Amino acid sequence: MNAKSMPRRSKRVQSTYKRSHDEANNIIVTPDIVQSKRYKHTKGSTTKDSASIKVDDVKSAIVKTAKIKATRPTPAESFYVTAALSKLHPEIVDRNDERRKKAHQSCGGDDTITDSIMHTMLSQNTTDANKDRAWASLKRKFPTWDLVESCENMEEIESAIKVAGLAKTRAQRMQNILRQVKQERGEASLEYIRDFDDDKVKKELSRFKGLGPKTISCVLLFSLGRNEFPVDTHVLRITQKMGWVSSGASREQAYEYLNNHIPNEVKMDLHCLLVRHGKVCHKCAANGRPQFPPEDGSKLDCPLTKVSSWGGSVPKAFVVDLAKAYWNASAVAIKSEIIVPDLPKSK
């Protein structure tokens, strides 16, 4: 399809779009997506999470893919899934708003990089509740990382984090990292990576046993505020279910692919929403058995069940209200048309 064969649009609509080509020369029509993650309306004024840009630059909340065989996930799908899940799990986006606000106010956050790395290591293969208890216990027992590094009785560290499980392995890996860094740089701190670019952070942290791609991606996203899309078991399972990655893809393969295709604007929210949804939705949970099903015994009305059949497009009927909900239309008027192909009628 070339530019001449594209459907005609009014000059007003045309002016809000730009054309780009993917590797297969498929034409993808996208709005001039702005750099900030999202806008929020606060006390009658419009505030933005990052980057100084004009409200008028936000012309559309959803993008339109002009080629059905475009690489998935298309931006339209990414925005739809984020908006749909944010309506179902609003507390997740609210928590991320607090993260973004804190990072903006403190120019990177109050937590140290070392805190972030150790906290993420504790979160592996355990529940949030057990992770939080283990973290609180560890910080009470060892207020500084120097104390963890110099501890001669490994059982004391193991006891502090026992509730998270795998205490012996976690304790040994945490101390090994701290000791190696202190030997190399003179202090038990990983703060030195803060000014590294993404590739250098990944190369540096991957040297340490216990820091895999998902953990490093989480550090980049939540601690350093980088545009990253971590992939855990929930994210992998649901993105496979939606047809975004192949059923045989590993977490590492899915991460490399999705991190290059999910729009930066929604990476944090979409990651967190998929993780939460995978824990509570019967249709998206492993073996149909969610970790935290609704307390009243009901099942969530999952908004993702038909995404895999859409082929990258999003029906108009699903878009407008969700776009307004996610981008708070009272603060940012979505002025331009949202042009998304309708689904073909079933035969």
Side-chain angles (χ1 to χ4, degrees), residues 36 73 114 140 154 205 218 237 264 314 346:
S36 63
T114 312
R140 281 195 304 269
M154 187 60 65
L205 294 185
C218 284
R237 182 175 63 254
N264 290 337
V314 180
S346 57

Side-chain angles (χ1 to χ4, degrees), residues 97-115:
D97 282 340
E98 287 301 313
R99 283 174 169 150
R100 288 186 279 259
K101 181 179 178 182
K102 180 180 178 181
H104 176 72
Q105 290 176 342
S106 61
C107 297
D110 294 329
D111 297 335
T112 68
I113 301 297
T114 312
D115 280 353

Side-chain angles (χ1 to χ4, degrees), residues 82-92 273 276-277 280-281 300-304 322:
T82 305
L85 292 182
S86 72
K87 185 176 182 180
L88 194 61
H89 311 292
E91 73 283 358
I92 300 300
L273 287 164
R276 177 59 180 168
H277 194 65
V280 300
C281 177
L300 296 179
D301 185 10
C302 181
L304 310 183
L322 288 171

Side-chain angles (χ1 to χ4, degrees), residues 221-235:
L221 175 63
F222 296 114
S223 185
L224 296 174
R226 310 293 175 81
N227 292 318
E228 279 285 311
F229 188 74
V231 174
D232 74 344
T233 55
H234 300 291
V235 175

Side-chain angles (χ1 to χ4, degrees), residues 48-341:
K48 44 191 177 293
D49 300 310
S50 65
S52 177
I53 52 179
K54 296 179 180 179
V55 173
D56 288 342
D57 289 339
V58 183
K59 298 297 184 182
S60 176
I62 303 294
V63 289
K64 185 252 183 178
T65 301
K67 195 89 168 179
I68 291 179
K69 293 184 179 180
T71 302
R72 300 186 67 194
T74 62
E77 290 179 292
S78 299
F79 282 105
Y80 164 76
V81 172
T82 305
L85 292 182
S86 72
K87 185 176 182 180
L88 194 61
H89 311 292
E91 73 283 358
I92 300 300
V93 179
D94 289 342
R95 186 193 309 163
N96 284 345
D97 282 340
E98 287 301 313
R99 283 174 169 150
R100 288 186 279 259
K101 181 179 178 182
K102 180 180 178 181
H104 176 72
Q105 290 176 342
S106 61
C107 297
D110 294 329
D111 297 335
T112 68
I113 301 297
T114 312
D115 280 353
S116 178
I117 291 172
M118 299 303 167
H119 190 266
T120 306
M121 290 179 71
L122 281 180
S123 72
Q124 298 167 351
N125 302 310
T126 192
T127 65
D128 289 343
N130 286 340
K131 176 257 295 178
D132 290 340
R133 284 196 289 269
W135 178 255
S137 174
L138 179 65
K139 297 300 282 184
R140 281 195 304 269
K141 184 76 173 180
F142 301 93
T144 71
W145 296 116
D146 283 320
L147 291 174
V148 176
E149 184 274 331
S150 61
C151 182
E152 296 296 335
N153 186 353
M154 187 60 65
E155 291 182 356
E156 292 185 14
I157 305 176
E158 294 171 13
S159 175
I161 62 175
K162 184 178 180 179
V163 68
L166 302 173
K168 187 176 184 66
T169 299
R170 294 184 203 271
Q172 189 66 64
R173 288 179 175 178
M174 292 168 75
Q175 189 180 67
N176 286 347
I177 291 173
L178 294 170
R179 287 186 169 179
Q180 183 175 341
V181 171
K182 185 168 184 177
Q183 182 180 10
E184 294 173 352
R185 293 182 173 265
E187 60 179 338
S189 171
L190 290 109
E191 194 67 21
Y192 65 91
I193 71 168
R194 185 177 292 278
D195 295 326
F196 287 6
D197 63 29
D198 293 357
D199 289 339
K200 193 172 181 180
V201 169
K202 293 176 183 179
K203 183 178 180 180
E204 176 66 13
L205 294 185
S206 63
R207 298 189 301 130
F208 303 112
K209 192 169 184 178
L211 300 185
K214 184 245 180 175
T215 299
I216 296 171
S217 183
C218 284
V219 171
L220 282 163
L221 175 63
F222 296 114
S223 185
L224 296 174
R226 310 293 175 81
N227 292 318
E228 279 285 311
F229 188 74
V231 174
D232 74 344
T233 55
H234 300 291
V235 175
L236 177 64
R237 182 175 63 254
I238 298 175
T239 53
Q240 287 175 330
K241 184 182 179 70
M242 293 189 294
W244 290 4
V245 294
S246 66
S247 59
S250 66
R251 282 198 304 176
E252 289 73 20
Q253 291 170 330
Y255 161 71
E256 291 294 337
Y257 178 80
L258 292 171
N259 199 42
N260 287 321
H261 288 84
I262 300 293
N264 290 337
E265 293 85 354
V266 298
K267 279 183 174 177
M268 178 184 286
D269 286 342
L270 183 53
H271 163 76
C272 294
L273 287 164
L274 289 173
V275 171
R276 177 59 180 168
H277 194 65
K279 294 178 179 179
V280 300
C281 177
H282 286 77
K283 292 184 178 180
C284 293
N287 302 315
R289 301 176 62 183
Q291 290 177 266
F292 308 106
E295 294 181 358
D296 61 3
S298 64
K299 295 183 179 180
L300 296 179
D301 185 10
C302 181
L304 310 183
T305 54
K306 296 182 179 181
V307 174
S308 63
S309 67
W310 289 349
S313 300
V314 180
K316 292 180 191 176
F318 288 87
V319 175
V320 179
D321 289 340
L322 288 171
K324 290 180 180 178
Y326 186 65
W327 272 272
N328 197 330
S330 64
V332 181
I334 302 174
K335 298 178 180 178
S336 62
E337 298 177 28
I338 298 176
I339 306 173
V340 187

